[in-house]
Amino acid sequence: MAQCVQSVQEFLQDSFVPMVAVLCSKEADRVSRKNKLSFPELLRPFCRLLSEGHIRDPNNQLQTVKNLRICVNAVTTNPVSSPAVLSPAQYRQLGEVVSSCQPLEGAAATSFKTGDYNLNLSGFSVPLASCFISVTTPWFEAYRENFLQSMPASEHEFLNHYLACLLVVSSTEAVPVEQFLKLSQEQHRIQHSGEYTHPRWFIPNTLKYYVLLHDLSEGDEQRAETVYEDMKQRYGSQGCYLLKINSRAVSAEEDEQIPDPWSQYLHKNNLRYQVSLVIGSLSLRPPEHFCVFLKGGGESSCPNNDPLQLEPDSSSTSLVDADVKKARTDTEGVAPVAVGRGSCLTLNDHDRIRQFVQEFTFRGLLPHIEKNIRQLNDQLVSRKGLSRSLFTATKKWFGGGKAPEKGMSEPKSACGLLYPPEAPELQIRKMADLCFLVQHYELAYSCYHTAKKDFLSDQALLYAAGALEMAAVSAFLQGGGARPYPAHYMDTAIQKYRDDCRNMVLAERCALLSAEILKNQGKYSEAATLLIKMTSEDSDLRSALLLEQAAHCFINMRSPMVRKFAFHMILAGHRFSKAGQRKHALRCYSQAMQVYKDRGWSLAEDHINFTIGRQSFTLGQPESAVTAFRQILNDDSKQTATQQAAFLREYLYVHKSVMGEQVKSLPQLPLPCILSAATRVYFGHEPRLAQGEKQAATHVSLDQEYDPELSAMWSRLEEQLVAAANRGIVPVGFQPTQCCLNSQTDNLRQPLAVLNEPIIVEVTFRNPLKVSLALSELSLLWRFSPHVSSLSIREPVSEQLTGEVIGNEETLTTPHYSMELVVRGRQDLNIQGPRLNQTKEEKMSVRHGTDRRLDAIITPPMPLMEVFFLHFPSALLCGEIRKAYVEFCNVGAVALCGLRVASTHPEFFTFGSTTKSKTSYLIQMMEPRLCNRIFQSPVLITAWKVQSSSVCCYKEVIAC
């Protein structure tokens, strides 16, 4: 499973934290906004307590509260969407949160090997306590945090109901105490008048904490102290606080670099701001709902989504209503990204804000929670007529007694019974939630367990599911092996949320919590099963994220299930694509491709490459798209002709888009396949056909099949000619002339090509598709190196073709060629030499020798001779002598000198004489020079046996 930065205990604690509301006067809001921040935003980075707190339970046992975080929101009275489903704006915000969090560009991927698979997983790498590097998925964590905090308050639980309200007034007010009174009355009206259904409050007697905000840059500090003393007399020293901020003026220029702890929350707050503009919602304040995560000096945020905002009742006149217009005015024309945040604050101001949050929590909030836990415990015990403490309650009480009598007309819902606010069952749940918020998990579990039984007895399904969920979390957080984690509680809660109550939001929350617990216990298989069950058609984004996490569970099992990992990454990529998250879809498909590649699953590879190509092209990565589409048009495609045609159209469209109108360098094309080993190279002109009675010498042509024995015979004759011309010695660097090179010839040396003479390259194509391809305007690309006088022919070019249609095993033999697929491109001729198999090292590995048939050395112009026969007999009698004529024609631009003729059977012919030499194999012609003209000589031919005669002429080797 992808690892999280937080531990599972920290994640569970921070998912449910005490909620605190804020009501500010206009002047206090003005003082806060000098720093481009509202008052709740001002507190945001400092809401994690760095020291421990303490409370006493109903048995007067001291309980420690560690690493506590509070969540501070501005009060909004607008209705929210149903708790059973998120609003479209909330879904849109979650999508933007996921989209904005991507792997770092160019960041090194985490690599690991399992079995014969080498996987590179992109993401963020974090060092864990076990000293290995693991992959995190911050987009999932961001989604989870925003999802948990965007859940609207529900009637069946109290965890996200407000426990306290901060009343903030500026010291510059004419009569600050009157402003406190107005804010207090306003809070009371919002909670108790019945005009507003939101926000929800935890208990009727909400804690009110009075904050006097003093601006040090403009206010009278002595007056602020006086007002604060009066406040302590009225509200008590534990119910009020003097907060001093803005120690420096806005225009002050100091060299000191003040840190900006708000910057990390900016982009998430920005997204909420944009959502509110899109849906035209109106709140009492600009979006200020937030949660703060601080750990060891580090800070991270878990912002809450603002619900849909509606206009409050125009008939009510209050500070809240008056602030509506001000909120609209303040937000109009304000850029989503604020600059200069906290510009009036110094490091001392930061410390004062942090001290204020700590004082409020330790001296106000925790004592208030402790008092309410005691009161609820006393009420429940008195109503049940049992012991004075839940810790000493009897088994009968824990087993649940008869439910209080309820009238037949009690409200019902699709989820079962609805309890009135004063119902004892809800008081138990309320006490359990209070204990959970202050980390008293043992007492919380007892209360949840008791409430669960009552709810199930009354068939109150929604309430029962909530109690089961929190009982399981409380049991896990007790730690120390006090109780095993009741996973079946979570399974039952998810089933009731999803199937009975049709509430996918709560079911998803329950699944997210349970999955983290199961992963912490190493139960990756159970976690993956749970996450897969939560996928559905109602939310592609949720399904994609859960499938991706399930895939990571498979890869993190003790015996990694790599193929299941790849399969679920494919499913996640598909759902990401449907959700509009193209970058995440591309990442999932790319990671899965590492498993499917070169495993023989060609159809799966084709699907993945096709999807990668489309997503890459849509994301503006045409080169990657071309690479992916090229993989589909492979040699062993098992697709149907229709599917191959569709793939080809996609490739051509993307290729054309990449190339554009101006092409600087031709790209590689995958089609058709070139059989490089079958390439043949012919040097020089092909022999002319004879005219009239003349009969041309056959020489060597591309139409002939290669005969190794015949080739060896010509090489021996040429060697004899060279030796005769060199006083009987064969030069050390002698290389037999090879006019036509193929895979069977000796290609270790560079062949010789004569200047101004053609080089014909015969290339064999094969079409691997079931779709016809047309080729035209093919040409050879070559490279000439003057310093070594060598020519390299390696890159045949494919250009736009409209010509003959080629199918499988079609061979093109034209000197110039091109390729017709609507696009221009090239294919390289990479010819491997024969496999080396001499030494042990070569036998143990696959190595190939050098093949230099395409690397010709260009020589200066040379004579070029053609040979024709006249009156050459087609048959002879034994012992018969006939006269024929041979014609030597030099068609080259250089004079031909020293013509010599060699033959395997010189006794069968002679030039211009009846004298036969039986000992010499060489006949020196008497004509000293043959320069661009025809020389004819009579030849006497005799036949003693029926056999063929071969003649070799030098300097040009001619077969006759």
Side-chain angles (χ1 to χ4, degrees), residues 8-158:
V8 61
Q9 289 79 9
E10 292 172 337
F11 162 68
L12 294 174
Q13 290 174 8
D14 291 337
S15 298
F16 305 99
V17 296
M19 305 286 290
V20 179
V22 174
L23 277 177
C24 285
S25 67
K26 294 181 181 180
E27 187 62 19
D29 187 66
R30 182 192 67 82
V31 172
S32 298
R33 292 192 179 276
K34 291 174 65 176
N35 296 285
K36 306 292 181 65
L37 299 164
S38 64
F39 187 77
E41 292 170 340
L42 192 69
L43 304 182
R44 178 175 301 182
F46 310 102
C47 289
R48 170 78 68 187
L49 303 183
L50 304 180
S51 55
E52 297 180 355
H54 300 86
I55 64 168
R56 291 190 177 274
D57 61 29
N59 271 358
N60 206 32
Q61 298 293 321
L62 190 65
Q63 298 292 329
T64 303
V65 182
K66 300 178 180 179
N67 202 30
L68 181 65
R69 179 182 58 86
I70 64 174
C71 184
V72 182
N73 311 316
V75 173
T76 80
T77 59
N78 305 106
V80 297
S81 59
S82 169
V85 62
L86 297 179
S87 67
Q90 290 171 316
Y91 277 121
R92 191 182 307 115
Q93 177 198 335
L94 291 174
E96 291 175 350
V97 167
V98 174
S99 179
S100 64
C101 193
Q102 301 287 340
L104 294 175
E105 292 292 338
T110 300
S111 302
F112 66 95
K113 183 175 182 178
T114 171
D116 57 346
Y117 295 94
N118 290 308
L119 301 181
N120 294 319
L121 302 184
S122 60
F124 292 79
S125 298
V126 294
L128 301 179
S130 54
C131 298
F132 66 90
I133 301 298
S134 183
V135 177
T136 65
T137 51
W139 45 90
F140 171 71
E141 295 180 36
Y143 168 87
R144 185 180 61 187
E145 293 169 3
N146 279 267
F147 169 78
L148 292 175
Q149 297 305 319
S150 65
M151 296 183 62
S154 177
E155 295 181 353
H156 79 288
E157 62 183 12
F158 304 92

Side-chain angles (χ1 to χ4, degrees), residues 504-751:
M504 283 300 297
V505 174
L506 292 173
E508 180 180 354
R509 182 188 72 178
C510 192
L512 292 175
L513 301 178
S514 183
E516 289 299 324
I517 295 174
L518 291 171
K519 289 183 295 178
N520 179 261
Q521 296 179 336
K523 299 178 180 179
Y524 289 103
S525 179
E526 292 83 348
T529 302
L530 174 62
L531 293 170
I532 293 171
K533 286 182 179 179
M534 286 304 301
T535 60
S536 61
E537 293 299 324
D538 63 323
S539 175
D540 291 313
L541 181 62
R542 179 187 69 235
S543 299
L545 290 165
L546 297 184
L547 285 169
E548 183 183 14
Q549 296 303 304
H552 282 282
C553 286
F554 288 122
I555 204 67
N556 277 275
M557 296 175 65
R558 178 169 297 180
S559 298
M561 306 178 74
V562 181
R563 285 182 291 181
K564 277 198 173 185
F565 160 78
F567 178 71
H568 285 85
M569 288 298 284
I570 292 294
L571 297 179
H574 174 67
R575 299 305 291 270
F576 271 128
S577 181
K578 292 179 65 177
Q581 302 285 339
R582 298 188 181 277
K583 289 185 179 180
H584 288 296
L586 177 59
R587 175 183 49 78
C588 289
Y589 276 102
S590 299
Q591 292 183 2
M593 188 61 188
Q594 300 174 81
V595 177
Y596 287 99
K597 188 174 183 180
D598 299 330
R599 298 286 173 176
W601 300 332
S602 61
L603 296 179
E605 284 189 69
D606 290 347
H607 167 73
I608 298 172
N609 278 316
F610 182 74
T611 307
I612 290 176
R614 277 196 164 182
Q615 297 290 358
S616 298
F617 183 75
T618 306
L619 292 171
Q621 304 172 12
E623 291 80 8
S624 300
V626 169
T627 302
F629 281 122
R630 186 184 295 122
Q631 303 299 322
I632 305 176
L633 307 175
N634 53 34
D635 194 15
D636 58 346
S637 175
K638 296 181 175 59
Q639 300 288 350
T640 62
T642 304
Q643 191 64 52
Q644 287 180 353
F647 288 162
L648 185 59
R649 283 195 301 270
E650 292 280 348
Y651 171 77
L652 296 178
Y653 178 79
V654 173
H655 190 282
K656 186 176 180 180
S657 301
V658 173
M659 298 304 298
E661 297 297 332
Q662 297 181 354
V663 181
K664 294 183 179 179
S665 61
L666 294 173
Q668 289 278 357
L669 292 179
L671 295 173
C673 295
I674 294 181
L675 304 181
S676 298
T679 301
R680 297 199 297 172
V681 185
Y682 184 87
F683 297 93
H685 295 279
E686 289 193 286
R688 290 185 300 169
L689 298 177
Q691 298 179 355
E693 298 180 353
K694 293 182 179 180
Q695 184 177 355
T698 56
H699 190 47
V700 178
S701 68
L702 289 171
D703 298 329
Q704 295 176 344
E705 292 292 334
Y706 178 76
D707 187 344
E709 294 182 0
L710 189 60
S711 177
M713 182 194 68
W714 289 117
S715 297
R716 288 194 300 271
L717 285 176
E718 183 178 3
E719 186 176 348
Q720 292 174 3
L721 283 172
V722 172
N726 198 36
R727 299 179 181 179
I729 301 174
V730 179
V732 178
F734 170 72
Q735 177 181 347
T737 301
Q738 297 186 98
C739 296
C740 185
L741 301 179
N742 53 45
S743 58
Q744 298 179 356
T745 58
D746 182 9
N747 303 323
L748 293 177
R749 298 184 180 183
Q750 291 180 270

Side-chain angles (χ1 to χ4, degrees), residues 336-386:
V337 180
V339 294
R341 294 177 304 273
S343 57
C344 297
L345 302 177
T346 63
L347 293 178
N348 289 334
D349 291 329
H350 292 186
D351 294 337
R352 292 190 189 99
I353 297 173
R354 186 178 292 106
Q355 182 65 27
F356 156 67
V357 174
Q358 182 165 317
E359 286 291 322
F360 160 71
T361 305
F362 289 161
R363 302 183 62 183
L365 185 60
L366 290 182
H368 176 71
I369 294 175
E370 177 183 334
K371 181 181 69 173
N372 280 277
I373 290 176
R374 289 180 177 274
Q375 291 177 353
L376 288 171
N377 180 71
D378 292 342
Q379 292 175 12
L380 292 172
V381 170
S382 62
R383 289 189 181 187
K384 292 290 184 179
L386 300 174

Side-chain angles (χ1 to χ4, degrees), residues 942-956:
T942 182
W944 183 55
K945 292 183 179 179
V946 181
Q947 62 184 19
S948 62
S949 176
S950 301
V951 178
C952 180
C953 299
Y954 188 81
K955 293 203 178 182
E956 283 292 328

Side-chain angles (χ1 to χ4, degrees), residues 17-21 38 40-41 44 69 71-76 93 145-146 148-153 160-162 199 265 268-269 272 283 285-292 301-307 309:
V17 296
M19 305 286 290
V20 179
S38 64
E41 292 170 340
R44 178 175 301 182
R69 179 182 58 86
C71 184
V72 182
N73 311 316
V75 173
T76 80
Q93 177 198 335
E145 293 169 3
N146 279 267
L148 292 175
Q149 297 305 319
S150 65
M151 296 183 62
N160 52 358
H161 292 196
Y162 287 119
Y265 310 103
K268 297 179 181 179
N269 186 55
R272 292 195 302 276
S283 62
R285 296 280 186 272
E288 296 169 348
H289 188 90
F290 67 91
C291 303
V292 181
S301 69
C302 176
N304 194 356
N305 182 47
D306 288 317
Q309 306 295 338

Side-chain angles (χ1 to χ4, degrees), residues 706-869:
Y706 178 76
D707 187 344
E709 294 182 0
L710 189 60
S711 177
M713 182 194 68
W714 289 117
S715 297
R716 288 194 300 271
L717 285 176
E718 183 178 3
E719 186 176 348
Q720 292 174 3
L721 283 172
V722 172
N726 198 36
R727 299 179 181 179
I729 301 174
V730 179
V732 178
F734 170 72
Q735 177 181 347
T737 301
Q738 297 186 98
C739 296
C740 185
L741 301 179
N742 53 45
S743 58
Q744 298 179 356
T745 58
D746 182 9
N747 303 323
L748 293 177
R749 298 184 180 183
Q750 291 180 270
L752 300 179
V754 181
L755 185 65
N756 295 327
E757 292 187 12
I759 301 175
I760 301 175
V761 180
E762 181 187 271
V763 182
T764 302
F765 292 98
R766 188 175 71 86
N767 180 14
L769 303 183
K770 302 171 185 176
V771 182
S772 297
L773 302 174
L775 306 179
S776 71
E777 300 179 7
L778 293 130
S779 60
L780 282 173
L781 288 181
W782 51 271
R783 181 176 63 254
F784 179 70
S785 302
H787 60 285
V788 294
S789 300
S790 64
L791 177 72
S792 177
I793 304 171
R794 290 289 179 184
E795 304 160 342
V797 176
S798 321
E799 304 189 3
Q800 186 168 350
L801 349 147
T802 49
E804 74 177 292
V805 176
I806 69 167
N808 293 350
E809 303 298 336
E810 179 72 13
T811 302
L812 300 180
T813 60
T814 55
H816 304 283
Y817 68 96
S818 112
M819 167 180 185
E820 153 155 289
L821 295 176
V822 184
V823 294
R824 293 171 56 88
R826 82 170 193 269
Q827 287 184 315
D828 293 343
L829 282 172
N830 297 315
I831 303 178
Q832 287 184 335
R835 180 176 175 179
L836 303 178
N837 200 29
Q838 299 297 324
T839 65
K840 180 179 179 181
E841 183 179 1
E842 292 173 349
K843 293 179 180 180
M844 297 297 293
S845 60
V846 179
R847 294 185 180 182
H848 293 270
T850 303
D851 191 307
R852 311 192 70 173
R853 74 183 82 168
L854 295 178
D855 299 331
I857 297 177
I858 308 300
T859 66
M862 298 174 62
L864 179 59
M865 185 172 63
E866 293 181 348
V867 180
F868 297 93
F869 293 96

